Amino acid sequence: MNEALELEPLARIESVEACIVSLPLVKPFETSFSVKTVKEALLLRVRSADCEGWGECVASSDPFYSYETNATALHVLKEFLLPAAAKSGSLRDVGDRFKKVRGHNMAKAAVENAILDLAARRARKPLWKLLGGEEKRIPSGLSIGIKETPEDLVSAVGKAVEKKYQRVKIKIKRGKDAAFVRAVRSAFPDVPLMADANADYSLEDIPALQALDAFGLMMIEQPLSNDDIYQHSLLQKRLKTALCLDESIHSLDDARAAQELGSCRIINIKQGRVGGLLASKAMAAFCLEKGMPVWSGGMLETGVGRAANLHLQTLPGFVLPGDTSETANYFRSDIVDKPVVLDGDGMIRLPEGDGLGVTVVPQVLARHKTFEEVLYRR
Ligand code: OSB
Ligand code: MG
């Protein structure tokens, strides 16, 4: 862990405000578990006497990806996490106090993100530097939702290839798998391609998953149950394609179990799902030591969470392109001043400036805000 972070005394937290914004998606995003047409994002603004920091909670309005929702996060933040954070003297202390609350990693990550943004802004440093990362451009991958027909999917992948995305992920589910992947592979024989099943399959579906071995995928993400690690180890033995775990990895202990059992060869680290940027850093370091590539996942974040994900990817171990893609794929108007755009070669430049490097635009926030509450006041 970065020593400077551990020694840095926290700025006194004076108040924490939460708001929820509702942002229409430019196109519906379909996965094996839902179709999303709006992003409802819970945002935290943590204030000290002289500064403020922002964090986004990656929970959703529904409990379909994980048990957390924006409503459970608000409850746990207000009653437990924020009073604990406000008492803490250092970031390590925040982490220790948060251990007492079981689970609720998305709520924990939201506060941690906001405190880190605040700490970096007070130190007049970009977040990547505070985290101990290296300044670099981030390779961008695109996650494409399930489409009605293989032709629709091929056309969406074609646009991603034109934009020079460094890899393309397509969502699959039972019955919408091999034919879709085959169509994409025939049209684009060389595109770095992967498929994400969001836990739609079981071990009875091994033949359907083995059929995907023919298409040279980089990996298949989370084919089996959202809370399984063991059965994935059985499946991995019967597939040529690498498995990648998403939903079932919540901690370093989970990553260790998956690595030792051989449940996957790659891990998708979503910083929100694992409790924040510092936990992600520790997990990526562990995976690097074990020779297991990791990449940074996405949760259709607004510009706040998207910037946090970019800073995360400057850390050692994040060796594969992640799911951080251009803002324009999601929103017509985002709540921050700088949208994520690709350089011509499919790379993203880190937002410049202190902390996250992006600023929430109050007028845009106000236009999309559906809820606000002061969750903590000293
Ligand atoms: O499984 O990675 C996933 C979006 C919402 C919930 C789960 C997932 C996703 C994505 C999209 O794949 C990632 C993104 O573009 O932010
Ligand atoms: Mg996934």
Side-chain angles (χ1 to χ4, degrees), residues 2 65 79 107 169 171 174 189 212 243 251-252 279 282 301 324:
N2 187 332
Y65 168 82
E79 304 300 330
K169 161 166 140 183
K171 294 288 192 179
R174 281 172 300 153
L212 301 180
L243 291 180
S251 63
L252 181 56
E301 288 91 343
T324 312

Side-chain angles (χ1 to χ4, degrees), residues 190-211:
D190 302 319
V191 69
L193 186 67
M194 58 172 292
D196 185 359
N198 288 108
D200 197 47
Y201 295 78
S202 72
L203 284 177
E204 284 163 32
D205 302 311
I206 285 181
L209 294 165
Q210 283 172 332

Side-chain angles (χ1 to χ4, degrees), residues 66-308:
S66 97
Y67 68 85
E68 288 189 84
T69 66
N70 289 335
T72 70
L74 280 168
H75 162 63
V76 171
L77 283 161
K78 186 174 181 179
E79 304 300 330
F80 303 101
L81 298 176
L82 296 177
K87 276 195 218 112
S88 304
S90 69
L91 280 158
R92 170 173 296 169
D93 196 16
V94 173
D96 287 345
R97 287 173 195 268
F98 280 8
K99 275 192 201 134
K100 195 166 167 162
V101 174
R102 308 294 192 216
H104 296 282
N105 280 349
M106 294 176 176
K108 289 173 180 170
V111 200
E112 188 234 40
N113 279 217
I115 293 176
L116 283 168
D117 180 35
L118 175 80
R121 285 180 201 266
R122 293 187 77 254
R124 303 199 181 281
K125 282 184 191 169
L127 181 57
W128 64 263
K129 203 173 245 176
L130 189 81
L131 291 171
E134 63 167 317
E135 185 167 27
K136 61 177 193 185
R137 295 189 309 149
I138 306 302
S140 180
L142 181 64
S143 175
I144 299 178
I146 293 170
K147 303 289 181 205
E148 191 66 35
T149 65
E151 294 70 41
D152 294 344
L153 182 60
V154 168
S155 133
V157 173
K159 288 185 192 136
V161 170
E162 254 167 53
K163 280 234 130 203
K164 302 259 181 20
Y165 274 103
Q166 301 272 307
R167 69 99 171 103
V168 175
K169 161 166 140 183
I170 60 183
K171 294 288 192 179
I172 56 169
K173 64 178 181 181
R174 281 172 300 153
K176 281 199 158 185
D177 42 28
F180 286 71
V181 180
R182 181 179 300 111
V184 172
R185 194 36 108 205
S186 320
F188 306 100
D190 302 319
V191 69
L193 186 67
M194 58 172 292
D196 185 359
N198 288 108
D200 197 47
Y201 295 78
S202 72
L203 284 177
E204 284 163 32
D205 302 311
I206 285 181
L209 294 165
Q210 283 172 332
L212 301 180
D213 271 340
F215 305 118
L217 298 178
M218 297 169 78
M219 69 196 93
I220 301 172
E221 185 178 344
Q222 195 77 34
L224 306 180
S225 167
N226 64 291
D227 53 11
D228 168 77
I229 295 180
Y230 173 65
Q231 292 183 50
H232 280 93
S233 77
L234 304 179
L235 176 62
Q236 180 65 89
K237 288 187 186 68
R238 304 193 46 194
L239 289 181
K240 288 209 280 290
T241 310
L243 291 180
C244 168
L245 289 180
D246 171 358
E247 279 90 333
S248 43
I249 303 294
H250 302 279
S251 63
L252 181 56
D253 285 342
D254 288 343
R256 194 176 280 122
Q259 196 271 328
E260 288 190 6
L261 282 167
S263 306
C264 59
R265 298 190 196 129
I266 298 170
I267 291 180
N268 166 348
I269 297 184
K270 284 181 184 159
Q271 56 93 11
R273 191 192 69 233
V274 304
L277 297 162
L278 298 180
S280 298
K281 179 178 175 172
M283 290 170 68
F286 166 81
C287 292
L288 184 61
E289 187 191 307
K290 299 293 180 188
M292 177 133 85
V294 307
W295 53 276
S296 165
M299 292 292 283
L300 315 178
E301 288 91 343
T302 75
V304 172
R306 195 167 300 280

